[in-house]
């Protein structure tokens, strides 16, 4: 009897370990190579010359990938012929006729590769390399910038043309880099949304891309956007929902404190912020499908859907249910396969329930190739429609995780070769 009790004790106490090991050990699956999307996110630094683009296309094709998601709007600039924004400074040494997106399409199509144009949406500029081109939105339209809450009251009555206006945003942002990649535009500004819409339509009209890809289609953090435009638009949005007495109280409070509405109605302000971003996504999606229904509209989204919803105002699960996004690409960059599985499971369930697709985003730059292969197999087991590695650029550079610079080849041999 004692031996039986001891055996049961060992089995029960070992179960969490066994369960965890089961999550980490994902069997390889037989997949249909013709239907599985095998994509690479390609950062703009790999698009700065013809030889770089040719090498990138060759590496993708030789290693079993079938889709390139190439970054053609990085920081309010263009790696294509744009009528809306300045040519990227990184292309200054190239001849004027060099068009990275056109070259990518010309090189990739004969290899059977699909090309999606990746456009960063709200992220506008790096904090440590602010744009100098007077035509750049950062310089041309400072009133479009998203404003952090701690400096909002100070900037509310300051002209955005005052040099101190931008300087204050940058100063605060540099001191609070935890969740910030740079300077953002504010989606509550109708002129910002119109500008972004026209950028998308410019690419759609002039390039035969297979897809258009949102990134940074969100706010930087809960500290944004408290620009004057955002605050005023929120009050217009909010007041019809209030009683006469509430409107009167809010009017009096706002005379003393321009942030009164956001402080009194914080939940509603979050709802308003999400609605501005969703409105932009919906408008772009509907017009893309009207003009070129075959073009796929996708978005790189925060894999933690609660974080996306509450802290970034990125309601991507709603976009799927509304049918205004063809593909969600959760950036499931955790090194832990169990966390990766959970995030992709939630995304896949949400997408498939709405008749939409998921391409599982894998943070290859953080893990060895063996872990990437494990996550590819995990995504397949969950019914994901494809995978995307971030990023091509990492996979061809020798590093501690990629000693031979042959990351893609190792992934191909273990995950794609049949």
């Amino acid at each position: 009897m004692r031996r039986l009790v001891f055996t049961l004790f060992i089995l029960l106490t070992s179960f969490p370990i066994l369960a965890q090991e089961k999550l980490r050990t994902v069997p390889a699956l037989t997949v249909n190579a013709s239907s599985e999307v095998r994509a690479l996110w390609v950062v703009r630094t790999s698009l700065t010359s013809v030889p770089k683009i040719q090498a990138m296309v060759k590496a993708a094709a030789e290693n079993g990938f079938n889709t390139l998601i190439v970054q053609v709007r990085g920081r309010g600039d263009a790696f294509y012929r744009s009528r809306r924004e300045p040519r990227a400074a990184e292309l200054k040494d190239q001849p004027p006729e060099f068009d990275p997106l056109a070259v990518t399409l010309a090189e990739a199509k004969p290899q059977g590769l699909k090309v999606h144009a990746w456009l960063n949406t709200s992220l506008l500029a790096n904090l440590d390399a602010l744009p100098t081109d007077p035509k750049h939105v950062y310089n041309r339209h400072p009133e479009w910038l998203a404003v952090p809450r701690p400096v909002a009251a100070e900037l509310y009555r300051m002209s955005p043309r005052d040099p101190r206006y931008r300087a204050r945003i940058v100063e605060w942002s540099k001191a609070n880099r935890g969740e910030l990649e740079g300077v953002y535009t504010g989606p509550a500004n109708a002129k910002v949304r119109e500008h972004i819409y026209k950028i998308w339509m410019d690419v759609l009209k002039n390039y035969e891309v297979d897809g258009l890809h949102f990134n940074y289609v969100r706010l930087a953090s809960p500290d944004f956007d408290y620009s004057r435009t955002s605050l005023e638009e929120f009050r217009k949005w909010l007041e019809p929902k209030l009683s006469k007495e509430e409107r009167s109280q809010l009017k009096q409070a706002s005379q003393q404190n321009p942030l009164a509405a956001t402080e009194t109605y914080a939940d509603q302000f979050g709802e308003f912020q999400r609605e501005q971003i969703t409105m932009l996504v919906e408008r772009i999606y509907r017009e893309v499908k009207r003009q070129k229904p075959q073009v796929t509209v996708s978005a790189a989204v925060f894999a933690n859907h609660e974080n996306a919803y509450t802290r970034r105002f990125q309601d991507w699960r709603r976009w799927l249910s509304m049918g205004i996004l063809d593909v969600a690409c959760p950036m499931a960059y955790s090194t832990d396969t169990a966390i990766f599985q959970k995030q992709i499971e939630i995304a896949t369930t949400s997408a498939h329930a709405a008749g939409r697709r998921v391409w599982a985003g894998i943070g290859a730059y953080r893990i060895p190739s063996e872990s990437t292969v494990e996550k590819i197999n995990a995504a397949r087991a969950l019914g994901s429609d494809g995978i995307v590695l971030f990023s091509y650029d990492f996979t061809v550079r020798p590093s501690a995780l990629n000693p031979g610079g042959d990351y893609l080849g190792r992934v191909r041999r273990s995950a794609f070769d049949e």
Side-chain angles (χ1 to χ4, degrees), residues 126-156:
N126 291 329
L127 291 170
D128 297 319
L130 294 169
T132 58
D133 191 323
K135 295 180 181 178
H136 195 284
V137 164
Y138 175 81
N139 296 309
R140 194 172 184 178
H141 292 290
E143 72 278 12
W144 291 3
L145 303 185
V147 172
R149 176 173 44 200
V151 301
E154 175 188 347
L155 299 186
Y156 185 78

Side-chain angles (χ1 to χ4, degrees), residues 184-303:
Y184 284 65
T185 50
N189 190 317
K191 292 181 179 179
V192 169
R193 297 196 304 271
E194 181 69 14
H195 178 70
I196 293 169
Y197 168 82
K198 287 180 177 178
I199 289 169
W200 276 68
M201 294 306 111
D202 195 22
V203 175
L204 182 70
K205 177 182 177 181
N206 293 301
Y207 296 89
E208 291 304 315
V209 293
D210 297 287
L212 291 167
H213 183 71
F214 284 105
N215 194 14
Y216 290 100
V217 58
R218 59 178 176 82
L219 288 172
S221 75
D223 286 311
F224 294 85
D225 171 30
Y226 290 80
S227 64
R228 180 172 185 143
T229 298
S230 182
L231 296 175
E232 291 178 348
E233 290 300 317
F234 173 55
R235 282 189 58 184
K236 292 178 186 176
W237 178 91
L238 176 68
E239 286 177 352
K241 301 173 174 59
L242 304 179
S243 67
K244 183 177 180 180
E245 182 180 356
E246 288 171 329
R247 286 196 298 270
S248 176
Q249 292 173 346
L250 180 59
K251 182 178 180 180
Q252 291 180 11
S254 297
Q255 290 174 350
Q256 302 299 320
N257 175 14
L259 277 68
T262 67
E263 293 170 357
T264 306
Y265 300 96
D267 289 345
Q268 290 89 336
F269 187 51
E271 182 184 346
F272 165 79
Q273 304 239 65
R274 281 184 287 272
E275 188 173 297
Q276 306 312 298
I277 298 168
T278 296
M279 186 163 46
L280 173 63
V281 172
E282 181 173 19
R283 184 185 179 197
I284 288 174
Y285 181 87
R286 301 293 186 207
E287 187 58 23
V288 169
K289 294 302 178 180
R290 188 188 72 81
Q291 293 191 29
K292 295 183 179 180
Q294 76 281 7
V295 170
T296 298
V297 178
S298 60
V301 298
F302 267 66

Side-chain angles (χ1 to χ4, degrees), residues 26-83:
V26 181
L29 298 176
T30 300
V31 296
N32 186 343
S34 64
S35 62
E36 180 183 55
V37 170
R38 300 170 178 177
L40 293 166
W41 274 302
V42 182
V43 178
R44 60 196 183 280
T45 51
S46 290
L47 304 177
T48 55
S49 72
V50 172
K52 282 187 176 182
I53 294 172
Q54 290 173 332
M56 179 267 293
V57 169
K58 180 180 179 183
E62 289 183 346
N63 289 294
F65 289 85
N66 55 30
T67 304
L68 301 171
I69 304 176
V70 295
Q71 188 182 50
V72 298
R73 185 187 194 238
R75 302 291 186 270
D77 50 17
F79 287 77
Y80 63 98
R81 291 189 183 278
S82 174
R83 297 181 300 160

